[in-house]
Amino acid sequence: MMTKARDIMTGGAECVGARESVLDAARKMKDLGVGALPICGTDNKLKGMLTDRDIVVKVLGAGKDPATCLSGDLAQGEAVTIGADDDAEEILRTMTTHKVRRLPVIDGHDLVGVVAQADVARALPDPKVGDLLEALSTD
């Protein structure tokens, strides 16, 4: 039986609101002990992912004020997601294709968790993990 996203994800993913400041998002990351948060709009729809690297590079590195910069402004394009019942192979393909290390997990229209690269690594045989790591570490 294949491992599904819902089996390996971290559940109860908290969003940062698109209208919340990047500073608030950074505080939430610190409090939760995470390096990324899904960005949710006022319509409760997923807008993207905000990573600690985004904050450093696109806000601090660009000389912007994290207290006035909105999290939603850092959402790029359509959010890349995975279905709760998608298997580990599909997660691997999606991460590799889109060069992302974390994927929000959607069940219907609801955000139910996040799958990280490490979660997939634990669920897959070693050769597949090596392929994922190689794909994500090249720019």
Side-chain angles (χ1 to χ4, degrees), residues 21 57 68 95 108:
S21 75
V57 173
T68 58
M95 284 183 165

Side-chain angles (χ1 to χ4, degrees), residues 54-130:
D54 291 334
I55 294 171
V56 171
V57 173
K58 297 174 183 171
V59 179
L60 301 177
K64 295 179 182 172
D65 180 0
T68 58
C69 188
L70 299 181
S71 296
D73 293 344
L74 299 180
Q76 294 182 322
E78 195 170 320
V80 179
T81 63
I82 199 82
D85 291 317
D86 287 344
D87 64 34
E89 294 275 343
E90 180 61 25
I91 299 166
L92 176 71
R93 263 193 304 278
T94 304
M95 284 183 165
T96 304
T97 301
H98 295 279
K99 292 196 178 284
V100 294
R101 290 176 165 81
R102 299 172 191 91
L103 283 172
V105 181
I106 304 294
D107 191 356
H109 293 289
D110 299 326
L111 175 71
V112 293
V114 174
V115 173
Q117 179 181 339
D119 301 324
V120 181
R122 284 189 290 271
L124 287 172
D126 288 342
K128 300 268 186 200
V129 174

